[in-house]
Each structure stands twice: as structure tokens, then as C-alpha cells.
Amino acid sequence: MGPEQHDRDQRAGPAPEPFDAFYLREYPAVVGLLQGLLRSRLVAEELAQESFLVAYREWSRVSGLDNPRAWVRKVAMNQRGSFLRAYLRQQARERASVVEYEDDTIKLADDHAEVWQAIRTLPPSQAQVIALHYYEDYSITQIAAALGRAPGTIKAQLHHGRRRLARVLGAGPDRGWPA
């Protein structure tokens, strides 16, 4: 076997694609796939980054596969499954801790229980503003500073929260609530 034959044997297949070219081409599609499945761009980007990190660490092997595109998508689906399992475990732990420590919670006076139940039905931003304003007696300025929002936003959330509470509680002028 001469030197020419040896050189041809080493060049038998095409040269593997560089990882950076693969990453730049495939990353947006993997993020889009994950975002479609998870409905969260932030989580999709995080899981895609983790998937490509695995591909990068194993690129010498992965680049030689028949279909590195399919391989990285399989890793992404595995990352998604791991994320969802962890998320569900966390949700279960949180539910268990609420039930487990329910007796340790502060009991509200019965005359306030209906109001607090109604506040919990509000969107979180409105519930926060209502609770800080009425329970903590915070001013609009103090609430804005505490939540990092503009005072005008706080006023609007307070207004909309009051209106929703009035509807939920069936309150109006006859119960001392503004109409």
C-alpha cells in the first residue's frame, strides 16, 4: 500500500461540520420547537442551551452520526421531560407544604374571610396592590416603590381591583363600597 492509498483511506467520508455552524443553524429551530411545546420562550431557550451544551461536549461523536439534527432534538425532548417532571414534583411539594402547615397559618377574623377569599380571585398584580393598600396601609407611592412599578400603574391596578372586588362581593353603595 503506497502513500496515496493511505491518504485516500483517511479522507473516505466528508469532513464533519464545525459545531458553531451546526449551533447557529439549528438553535433557533430547537428553541421554536420547545417553545411550542412549553409555551414559554424563557424555558425553551434554557432547555435548548442545555441540549446544545450536551452536543458540544460530545461533538466529536455526534458530528459523525447520520443525523446530528435528530440527535439534538432528542436531547431537547429529554430535557423537556426532565424539566416537566421536576416542575410537577415542585408543584406537589408546594401543595403538600400548604396542606401540611395549614394549621400554622394566621387565622383571619371571620368578618374578613370573605374579603380575603375574594382578593385571592383577583389577578396577582391587583391582589398584591389591594393587600398592600388595605392590609398594610401602604400609600400609592410606597406600593410603587415596593413592587417596582409606576404610581400610575398602581392607581390603575387598585381601581380595577376595587371594581372586581365590588362585583365578586356584590358590594355597592348599599354596602359602603364605591359604585
Side-chain angles (χ1 to χ4, degrees):
M1 169 165 22
E4 283 181 31
Q5 180 64 34
H6 180 68
D7 288 344
R8 267 185 275 162
D9 289 343
Q10 287 182 338
R11 293 180 293 172
E17 178 179 28
F19 177 79
D20 56 345
F22 175 76
Y23 174 82
L24 291 172
R25 186 184 68 247
E26 299 298 327
Y27 179 79
V30 173
V31 170
L33 173 68
L34 290 167
Q35 183 178 354
L37 293 170
L38 296 168
R39 291 187 287 180
S40 169
R41 176 82 178 181
L42 189 64
V43 174
E45 288 176 347
E46 179 71 25
L47 296 180
Q49 289 170 11
E50 290 293 325
S51 300
F52 279 95
L53 180 60
V54 172
Y56 177 76
R57 288 179 178 153
E58 298 184 28
W59 190 243
S60 62
R61 181 180 65 82
V62 172
S63 64
L65 296 174
D66 287 339
N67 194 346
R69 294 177 74 235
W71 185 90
V72 80
R73 282 159 177 78
K74 181 178 180 180
V75 171
M77 292 300 103
N78 289 341
Q79 294 283 346
R80 173 186 167 263
S82 295
F83 167 78
L84 290 175
R85 284 188 297 278
Y87 177 78
L88 292 173
R89 280 192 306 272
Q90 179 63 30
Q91 294 297 310
R93 279 193 299 273
E94 287 177 11
R95 279 192 302 276
S97 69
V98 169
V99 172
E100 184 177 332
Y101 299 110
E102 189 171 343
D103 293 338
D104 293 342
T105 59
I106 297 171
K107 300 292 184 202
L108 300 172
D110 288 339
D111 57 333
H112 297 295
E114 179 186 10
V115 175
W116 281 108
Q117 180 62 35
I119 289 171
R120 286 190 290 272
T121 68
L122 296 174
S125 60
Q126 292 175 10
Q128 291 172 339
V129 170
I130 293 285
L132 288 172
H133 187 69
Y134 291 104
Y135 186 72
E136 294 291 332
D137 201 29
Y138 276 29
S139 69
I140 300 292
T141 306
Q142 290 171 319
I143 297 170
L147 299 179
R149 299 182 194 145
T153 302
I154 300 302
K155 288 179 188 176
Q157 290 171 335
L158 192 56
H159 172 76
H160 293 297
R162 286 176 182 147
R163 289 182 61 122
R164 279 187 179 215
L165 280 176
R167 282 194 303 273
V168 169
L169 294 170
D174 57 320
R175 284 188 68 174
W177 284 70

